[in-house]
């Protein structure tokens, strides 16, 4: 299924520190062709590596985003 990336927000950790070895994650708001929305957590560095930004079209394949 394909989605449009509506919003990317870095997760807030408040006064708690990120556990050692855990990547910084973002909440990614996705919308499918029917208008159904869902939020997934995704590593920030991976979004950057893939060049995924708000407004892009992506496919979600077994919890992996693929930029189209």
């Amino acid at each position: 299924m394909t989605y449009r990336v509506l919003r990317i927000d870095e997760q807030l950790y408040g006064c708690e520190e990120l556990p050692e070895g855990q990547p910084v994650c973002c909440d990614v708001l996705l919308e499918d062709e029917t208008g159904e929305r869902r939020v997934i957590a995704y590593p920030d560095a991976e979004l950057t590596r893939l060049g995924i930004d708000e407004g892009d079209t992506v496919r979600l394949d077994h919890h992996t985003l693929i930029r189209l």
Side-chain angles (χ1 to χ4, degrees), residues 27-63:
D27 289 326
V28 181
L29 176 61
L30 302 171
E31 183 178 63
D32 69 17
E33 300 94 3
T34 67
E36 187 77 26
R37 293 182 177 188
R38 67 187 289 185
V39 175
I40 63 166
Y42 214 77
D44 183 49
E46 190 67 7
L47 291 170
T48 300
R49 185 183 75 75
L50 295 170
I52 295 175
D53 291 307
E54 292 177 358
D56 286 344
T57 300
V58 296
R59 189 174 77 215
L60 186 59
D61 187 25
H62 301 290
H63 306 289

